[in-house]
Amino acid sequence: MKTLDQWFEEYAVSHQNPKNKAIHYICVPAIFFSIVGLLMSIPTTFLNNLLHLNQPIIENWAVVVLLFVLIFYIRLSISMAIKIAIFSMLCVILNYYIGQFVPLWAFSIGVFVVAWIGQFYGHNIEGKKPSFLKDIQFLLIGPAWVVQNLFSKK
C-alpha cells in the first residue's frame, strides 16, 4: 500500500501548472461538496426505519458513505483523516441548509458539472490527463492533496 506522500508525489506530476493548481483548489472541494449533496438527496426511508434517530443532518446516505471514505483516509494518515472529517462535516451541514431553500439534487448536479468542466479545463492547460484515469483512488487523493497544499506548512 502506498503512503500518503507517495500518492501526493504521483498526483503532483499532473498538477504542476499554477493555473491548473488554482482550478483544482476550487473545483476539487466543489466536486466533493456536490457529491455529498447528491448523496444527501437520496431518500432515507431505509435509514430512518433502521436507525430511528429523526436527525436528517446525520441520518442520510452521505454520512454513511463518508464513514467508509474516512476509513480510506485513516489507513493513510490519522491527521489527514481528521482534516477530511472536518471538511466532510462542513459539507454535510452546508448541504443540509442549502437543501432547505432549493432542491439539493439540482443544486448539486449544477455544482458537479461546472466543477468538472473546470477540472478538465485545468488539465487541458496542464497538458496532462487527470490522475484518476490511471487509478480511481486518485478521486480520494485529490481532496487530501488540496488540504495538504492549502492548509499545511511546507
Side-chain angles (χ1 to χ4, degrees), residues 102-113:
V102 298
L104 185 57
W105 66 269
F107 177 83
S108 297
I109 287 172
V111 171
F112 185 85
V113 169

Side-chain angles (χ1 to χ4, degrees), residues 96-150:
Y96 174 77
Y97 286 108
I98 288 170
Q100 303 303 304
F101 300 101
V102 298
L104 185 57
W105 66 269
F107 177 83
S108 297
I109 287 172
V111 171
F112 185 85
V113 169
V114 169
W116 272 110
I117 290 169
Q119 289 286 87
F120 283 108
Y121 175 70
H123 279 286
N124 186 50
I125 292 170
E126 183 84 42
K128 295 191 177 165
K129 290 189 251 181
S131 300
F132 76 87
L133 294 176
K134 178 181 175 191
D135 188 332
I136 195 88
Q137 293 180 83
F138 279 112
L139 290 174
L140 291 175
I141 296 303
W145 179 82
V146 169
V147 167
Q148 181 73 14
N149 281 281
L150 290 180

Side-chain angles (χ1 to χ4, degrees), residues 2-127:
K2 294 179 190 175
T3 67
L4 188 57
D5 287 335
Q6 289 170 324
W7 280 111
F8 286 162
E9 285 176 29
E10 195 172 341
Y11 192 82
V13 169
S14 60
H15 301 87
Q16 296 295 310
N17 182 287
K19 287 181 184 174
N20 186 32
K21 287 169 108 172
I23 289 167
H24 275 64
Y25 295 156
I26 296 166
C27 291
V28 168
I31 291 167
F32 190 100
F33 178 80
S34 68
I35 292 171
V36 170
L38 288 169
L39 289 168
M40 289 180 73
S41 299
I42 298 171
T44 58
T45 306
F46 173 77
L47 292 175
N48 295 337
N49 291 337
L50 180 69
L51 302 174
H52 301 288
L53 298 175
N54 200 26
Q55 296 293 325
I57 204 158
I58 59 171
E59 198 172 39
N60 62 69
W61 290 107
V63 171
V64 172
V65 170
L66 287 168
L67 290 172
F68 288 100
V69 167
L70 288 174
I71 292 169
F72 174 84
Y73 289 112
I74 288 168
R75 291 176 54 219
L76 294 173
S77 164
I78 297 293
S79 66
M80 184 56 71
I82 291 168
K83 293 170 189 173
I84 295 293
I86 292 167
F87 178 65
S88 297
M89 288 188 310
L90 292 172
C91 288
V92 167
I93 292 166
L94 189 54
N95 270 296
Y96 174 77
Y97 286 108
I98 288 170
Q100 303 303 304
F101 300 101
V102 298
L104 185 57
W105 66 269
F107 177 83
S108 297
I109 287 172
V111 171
F112 185 85
V113 169
V114 169
W116 272 110
I117 290 169
Q119 289 286 87
F120 283 108
Y121 175 70
H123 279 286
N124 186 50
I125 292 170
E126 183 84 42

